[in-house]
Amino acid sequence: MKNGKTFATFILLVFSVTAGISQITLPEIIRDSMVIQRNAKITIWGWASTGERITATFNGMQRKTSADSEGNWSLEFPKMKAGGPYTLAISGKNDIRLEDILIGDVWLCSGQSNMVHQMDIHDVTYAKDIVNADYPEIRHFKVPRKTDLQGPSKDLDGGSWKVAVSEEVRPFSAVAYFFARKLYKKYGVPIGLINASVGGTPIEAWINEQGYQEFPDVLKIIEENKDTAFVNSHSRKRFSGEQKAQQPKDKGLIGEKPWYDVDFTPENWRRINIPGYWEDQGARDLNGVVWYRKEIVLPQSMDNEEATVFLGRIVDADELYINGEKVGNTTYQYPQRRYDVPANILKAGKNTFVIRVTNNFGKGGFVPDKPYYIFTDKDTVDLKGYWQYKVGEVYPPVDFFSFSQNDDKPEERTINPQNEPTALYNGMVAPYIQLPIKGVLWYQGESNAGRPEEYLDLMHALMNGWRGIYNDPELPFIYAQLPNFGDVTYSPTESNWAELREAQLKALGDPNTAMTVNIDLGEWNDIHPDNKKDVGERMALAAQNLVYGEDIVYSGPLYQSSQIKDGKIVISFSHVRGGLMTNDGGAPDTFEIAGEDKNFVWAQAKIEGDKVIVWSDEIPNPKYVRYAWADNPDNPNLYNKEGLPASPFRTE
């Protein structure tokens, strides 16, 4: 009801006021820069006082209605072609004018952190793309993070549209921006990007309740979670006050002088290398706080100058002190560390650098093969090499896996709302399902890699559920297959990431889907690879075929079938119109072969037309083949002649 005033939730996607129209003066003009889907009925809806008369005018057309007994109202305008800008005027007890509205194609972009990652995070790699961004008809709306376990939300908690012009492009999802830019350059149609994504989240949280109709155990959990008392009682277990009281104190902060103080004298500190993990350098099974300290000699040109420090990536959290002053901190492991140093902190000669690193689980320290240096516009000083270190705090052992759902003892299930079934769909997608979209971009899977056997069914549930709620069984889904990540293995091995990629490959069995293969775009030491441009542009290539009807090869080779012949296995592929090739000119690599026992060995392979012949003298009676079957395969070099990589696969 919003205090009896008209509230057009068309939506916070149209305008961004956190408390509703009830708090703005009349009339209110809002330059919102949103995009509405072309060639689809335009629905405008909101809330008002019971019986309140609502009038809306859009592109010379006028519609009238009244709010129902619960204050709900909606209006509908006919389909429109791409164009604009237009103004929408809404009148009730108050008046609103929404300006700069375009009609074009709207894409819902969802998933976890690799869809979240903004252009701003990758501004070193894409500095020129940011400076040169001049696409006022490409627009981006970041849906505020919100969970709802009670059911689908009706409203959002803020947010605003941004326009892809220079600095304003920084908060855009990088993948989504490069997707939109490629399509806009091709077709000249305005593009709206609705970005509903949250880092570290599983696919289960994004599936709506209708999608779980064939999952009775999950439906039971959804019902349990609607009980607020139940949720509260199961959310407190992980971080009880008793557990916190058992944590020791950091010695680096409780002594006479903190360890970052320039006058502190380090005694009995050990030597350690940056970059590197402390578990690999003599500090075994340590979770806690480790302090690093070093005297860095800077040239005269850096004296009292502003500077920037690159500290690669650190697992998990860090605080950087220079000459006793805190100049930056990050609270979790994934962001790239880039800290600005104000003027008057640095000096010519010796400078005291101290880094306080906190690690909660697994290996702690500095990720190798990342940049570690301080620089100004005049000079650069390397920070790699030997430092001193000392442990400030040791955390007691914690079984993190005990926090996951316990199927045998459901009463012990610990609830993290953003990971619960339907929670993110309810809070971040449901509020605007009346808004037509062109299709869905999906980039997710890292959080489910430990349970790959479930992922195919969950992908079906996601797509079927969203298509049901949008009442569109052909709603296009374009999704990114997981890239390479982790240590390279040089012997055939089992791989959860490979199994999850296989599930993503099999999800292409659903209608009107497309998958981009990204096995060549990852980084071994970063789950958030810098190359977001190629992912986005490959998604755009898929959209050109799947949605815009272009007769092009939009995917790398996909496994189609196999045949055993004369002690060899012949593999056939789809998406090889121009033929197969390797990107390095050598023989196809990372193929494995096995007999009935499935003991895989490296195989030889050669290309013949649109087929690959695989064999090994060690396996006279082959039954199975795998390609690029690893978290991070060494050299997955099979491509089609259109320059797109083949998907990892295994034969049935």
Side-chain angles (χ1 to χ4, degrees), residues 206-269:
W206 295 102
I207 300 170
N208 61 321
E209 187 168 351
Q210 292 89 327
Y212 281 119
Q213 292 311 299
E214 296 183 8
F215 296 76
D217 292 342
V218 178
L219 291 174
K220 180 180 178 182
I221 291 172
I222 293 170
E223 283 303 311
E224 287 179 342
N225 288 346
K226 292 177 182 179
D227 182 343
T228 303
F230 175 87
V231 171
N232 290 339
S233 67
H234 285 70
S235 297
R236 287 193 291 263
K237 291 183 179 180
R238 185 184 299 191
F239 303 111
S240 66
E242 179 182 355
Q243 184 183 31
K244 286 183 178 180
Q246 296 173 355
Q247 297 286 339
K249 300 293 184 181
D250 180 359
K251 297 176 183 177
L253 297 175
I254 61 176
E256 182 178 346
K257 291 181 180 179
W259 291 357
Y260 59 78
D261 194 299
V262 291
D263 295 326
F264 170 77
T265 302
E267 296 180 355
N268 300 317
W269 286 48

Side-chain angles (χ1 to χ4, degrees), residues 262-562:
V262 291
D263 295 326
F264 170 77
T265 302
E267 296 180 355
N268 300 317
W269 286 48
R270 298 176 182 271
R271 193 171 76 160
I272 196 168
N273 197 55
I274 291 179
Y277 301 108
W278 59 65
E279 276 85 355
D280 297 332
Q281 302 184 71
R284 183 178 176 182
D285 297 333
L286 171 62
N287 296 321
V289 178
V290 177
W291 292 75
Y292 290 70
R293 186 181 177 101
K294 186 174 184 177
E295 299 293 333
I296 304 293
V297 178
L298 300 179
Q300 183 65 42
S301 62
M302 288 189 173
D303 188 64
N304 290 319
E305 294 291 321
E306 294 181 352
T308 301
V309 175
F310 279 15
L311 284 180
R313 280 185 51 238
I314 300 173
V315 183
D316 291 307
D318 65 281
E319 299 170 9
L320 170 64
Y321 299 86
I322 300 178
N323 295 329
E325 299 290 332
K326 184 176 178 179
V327 299
N329 75 286
T330 305
T331 58
Y332 64 112
Q333 64 172 291
Y334 294 117
Q336 301 176 60
R337 272 51 171 186
R338 297 170 181 168
Y339 299 138
D340 292 329
V341 183
N344 303 319
I345 289 182
L346 302 180
K347 59 185 180 180
K350 291 184 178 180
N351 293 257
T352 302
F353 280 59
V354 178
I355 308 169
R356 179 178 183 263
V357 180
T358 303
N359 173 248
N360 298 303
F361 185 72
K363 289 185 175 183
F366 296 77
V367 176
D369 196 22
K370 290 288 181 181
Y372 295 90
Y373 53 86
I374 183 171
F375 65 96
T376 65
D377 57 357
K378 298 177 182 178
D379 273 301
T380 299
V381 174
D382 194 1
L383 298 179
K384 296 191 298 294
Y386 286 112
W387 290 52
Q388 292 178 293
Y389 87 93
K390 192 175 184 66
V391 177
E393 184 174 1
V394 177
Y395 293 162
V398 177
D399 182 6
F400 279 81
F401 296 104
S402 68
F403 297 138
S404 61
Q405 180 179 332
N406 188 323
D407 293 330
D408 297 328
K409 297 180 179 180
E411 69 277 5
E412 297 182 6
R413 182 165 67 91
T414 300
I415 293 174
N416 179 353
Q418 75 167 24
N419 294 340
E420 293 297 303
T422 74
L424 293 174
Y425 167 82
N426 287 343
M428 297 179 65
V429 178
Y432 48 87
I433 58 172
Q434 297 179 66
L435 191 74
I437 59 175
K438 190 73 170 179
V440 175
L441 302 183
W442 177 254
Y443 193 162
Q444 192 277 335
E446 299 90 340
S447 290
N448 288 85
R451 299 174 284 115
E453 67 281 353
E454 305 171 0
Y455 200 75
L456 178 59
D457 289 340
L458 292 170
M459 279 290 286
H460 291 322
L462 176 78
M463 291 188 284
N464 292 338
W466 285 22
R467 284 168 170 164
I469 208 69
Y470 276 103
N471 196 28
D472 183 0
E474 296 295 318
L475 181 68
F477 266 81
I478 299 172
Y479 57 91
Q481 190 183 55
L482 290 185
N484 50 308
F485 171 66
D487 294 335
V488 176
T489 52
Y490 292 94
S491 298
T493 185
E494 300 305 315
S495 164
N496 282 342
W497 277 59
E499 287 190 33
L500 193 129
R501 293 186 196 109
E502 179 183 58
Q504 292 173 318
L505 177 62
K506 289 182 175 180
L508 289 173
D510 281 28
N512 226 31
T513 58
M515 179 187 76
T516 65
V517 179
N518 307 300
I519 196 64
D520 57 339
L521 302 183
E523 299 176 22
W524 77 268
N525 59 1
D526 201 331
I527 204 168
H528 303 124
D530 237 4
N531 190 343
K532 296 292 187 285
K533 181 179 179 181
D534 284 341
V535 179
E537 291 193 342
R538 287 175 184 178
M539 284 183 151
L541 197 64
Q544 287 179 237
N545 176 272
L546 185 70
V547 180
Y548 297 95
E550 291 198 40
D551 183 18
I552 57 173
V553 176
Y554 64 89
S555 169
L558 303 181
Y559 169 73
Q560 191 171 55
S561 64
S562 63

Side-chain angles (χ1 to χ4, degrees), residues 147-205:
T147 60
D148 195 331
L149 298 179
Q150 301 300 306
S153 297
K154 291 184 177 181
D155 198 5
L156 299 177
D157 294 335
S160 62
W161 286 90
K162 302 295 182 183
V163 178
V165 176
S166 194
E167 292 296 303
E168 199 169 341
V169 81
R170 285 183 174 273
F172 278 49
S173 159
V175 167
Y177 172 68
F178 288 116
F179 167 85
R181 190 179 73 173
K182 184 175 177 70
L183 291 183
Y184 183 78
K185 286 182 176 181
K186 178 72 175 179
Y187 304 113
V189 173
I191 301 288
L193 303 166
I194 301 174
N195 180 6
S197 52
V198 177
T201 55
I203 189 173
E204 289 91 337

